[in-house]
């Protein structure tokens, strides 16, 4: 698993100063004022990387990139990285070589923002390590807990009660007819009959004005003489419209005489 882990870069600062520090005089911590801040012992580039859960502070040459010293960090805050008591730009780190030897040196940044980025990169990494540890711990506890058997046993049944499925007196529900405007209309009651619309009776005037022409009888044995005699028919037919006209106007005079209380009025109009 260690071989499959890859190294990621957390922070890079191009300007860092390294100091040889005197032994700690008391348990109150380190003080940067005790160092020779104007004469650093080495100047180079700082890189913070991580591989797995371990972070590394690497001091490298600015030009060639050759490794000057390395400080592995397994816990932060801890003994591997400590802050000084009188400044936020200086730290004390514990470097180690491949043989297991270690030493404490001081590092400092010219810009206060570089010191802030260095501190935050270490905090974020170990915050992630803490979360990963808690997740793995919870997964291990879940594996050791007895698992719930939610399957049905042999012969076990369940009963489901679904509401609004029964109707009153066992009758089936009647569907609603959707009307215009989104309103639901009830169907007509059983046994009812819809009344057909009634047409108004025709008036006597319309009946009087409707003249049906008399049917013309045609015979299959009509001779040529009868056809010639039909030429005199217009003289007789001309009298028929006059009789029909007299009958029509007579209906109006009859209707007017049917009113008993109406007094006769003199008029200049000629009554037909």
């Amino acid at each position: 698993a260690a071989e499959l882990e890859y190294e990621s870069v957390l922070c890079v600062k191009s300007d860092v100063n390294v100091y040889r520090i005197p032994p700690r005089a008391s348990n109150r911590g380190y003080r940067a004022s005790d160092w020779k801040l104007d004469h650093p012992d080495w100047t180079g580039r700082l890189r913070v990387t991580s591989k797995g859960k371990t972070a590394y502070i690497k001091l490298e040459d600015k030009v060639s990139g050759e490794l000057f010293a390395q400080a592995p960090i397994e816990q932060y805050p801890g003994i591997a990285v400590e802050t000084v008591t009188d400044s936020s730009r200086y730290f004390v780190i514990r470097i180690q070589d491949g043989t297991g030897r270690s030493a404490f040196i001081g590092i400092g940044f010219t810009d206060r923002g570089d010191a802030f980025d260095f501190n935050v990169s270490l905090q974020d990494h170990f915050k992630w390590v803490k979360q990963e540890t808690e997740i793995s711990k919870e997964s291990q506890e879940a594996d050791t807990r007895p698992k719930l058997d939610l399957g049905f046993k042999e012969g076990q049944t369940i009963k489901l009660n679904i509401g609004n499925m029964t109707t009153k007196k066992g009758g089936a529900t009647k569907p609603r007819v959707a009307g215009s405007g989104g309103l639901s209309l009830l169907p007509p009651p059983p046994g009812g009959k819809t009344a057909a619309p009634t047409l108004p009776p025709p008036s006597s005037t319309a009946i009087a004005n409707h003249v049906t022409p008399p049917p013309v009888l045609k015979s299959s044995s009509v001779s040529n003489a009868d056809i010639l005699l039909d030429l005199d028919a217009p003289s007789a037919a001309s009298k028929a419209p006059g009789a029909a006209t007299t009958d029509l106007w007579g209906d109006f005079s009859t209707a007017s005489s049917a009113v008993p209380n109406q007094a006769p009025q003199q008029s200049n109009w000629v009554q037909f």
Side-chain angles (χ1 to χ4, degrees):
E3 294 178 357
L4 297 176
E5 294 177 350
Y6 60 91
E7 185 179 17
S8 61
V9 178
L10 304 179
C11 180
V12 177
K13 296 301 175 182
S14 59
D15 190 7
V16 63
N17 298 325
V18 176
Y19 304 93
R20 291 181 180 179
I21 59 176
R24 183 184 300 184
S26 62
N27 294 330
R28 291 181 297 179
Y30 294 97
R31 292 176 58 88
S33 59
D34 297 337
W35 308 343
K36 298 178 181 180
L37 300 179
D38 296 336
H39 302 283
D41 296 297
W42 185 84
T43 301
R45 179 180 64 188
L46 180 141
R47 282 199 311 141
V48 181
T49 63
S50 65
K51 189 174 183 180
K53 296 181 179 181
T54 305
Y56 298 90
I57 300 175
K58 296 183 178 182
L59 302 176
E60 302 171 345
D61 186 82
K62 292 182 179 181
V63 180
S64 62
E66 182 181 359
L67 181 64
F68 172 74
Q70 176 177 273
I73 306 170
E74 298 180 355
Q75 184 181 359
Y76 183 79
I79 193 175
V81 179
E82 298 183 38
T83 58
V84 297
T85 59
D86 56 348
S87 178
S88 61
R89 295 186 293 113
Y90 297 92
F91 301 87
V92 176
I93 62 175
R94 184 184 61 184
I95 59 176
Q96 293 180 354
D97 56 5
T99 60
R101 294 182 302 176
S102 62
F104 290 92
I105 60 174
I107 60 173
F109 301 93
T110 305
D111 189 1
R112 196 175 301 274
D114 294 342
F116 177 80
D117 295 341
F118 168 75
N119 191 19
V120 169
S121 63
L122 293 176
Q123 290 179 356
D124 291 344
H125 171 72
F126 286 98
K127 186 183 295 184
W128 171 80
V129 171
K130 183 179 179 181
Q131 293 176 354
E132 290 292 324
T133 303
E134 292 177 355
I135 293 173
S136 61
K137 184 178 180 181
E138 291 177 357
S139 62
Q140 290 177 0
E141 291 178 356
D143 294 338
T144 57
R145 295 174 185 172
K147 297 182 179 180
L148 296 177
D149 187 9
L150 301 179
F152 288 99
K153 304 298 186 294
E154 183 178 358
Q156 185 179 4
T157 59
I158 61 173
K159 182 179 180 181
L160 300 178
N161 294 326
I162 303 176
N164 299 329
M165 293 297 293
T166 59
T167 58
K168 295 182 179 179
K169 298 181 180 180
T173 57
K174 297 180 179 180
R176 294 176 176 265
V177 180
S180 60
L183 300 178
S184 58
L185 302 178
L186 294 176
K193 296 181 179 180
T194 56
T198 58
L199 298 176
S203 61
S204 59
T205 306
I207 295 174
N209 292 336
H210 180 71
V211 180
T212 303
V216 179
L217 299 177
K218 294 183 180 181
S219 176
S220 60
S221 61
V222 179
S223 61
N224 295 331
D226 294 335
I227 297 175
L228 295 176
L229 292 176
D230 289 340
L231 297 175
D232 298 332
S235 61
S238 61
K239 297 179 181 181
T245 306
T246 305
D247 294 338
L248 292 176
W249 290 107
D251 291 339
F252 284 100
S253 61
T254 304
S256 61
S257 61
V259 182
N261 296 330
Q262 183 176 2
Q265 296 180 2
Q266 294 179 1
S267 176
N268 295 328
W269 292 93
V270 179
Q271 184 175 1
F272 293 95

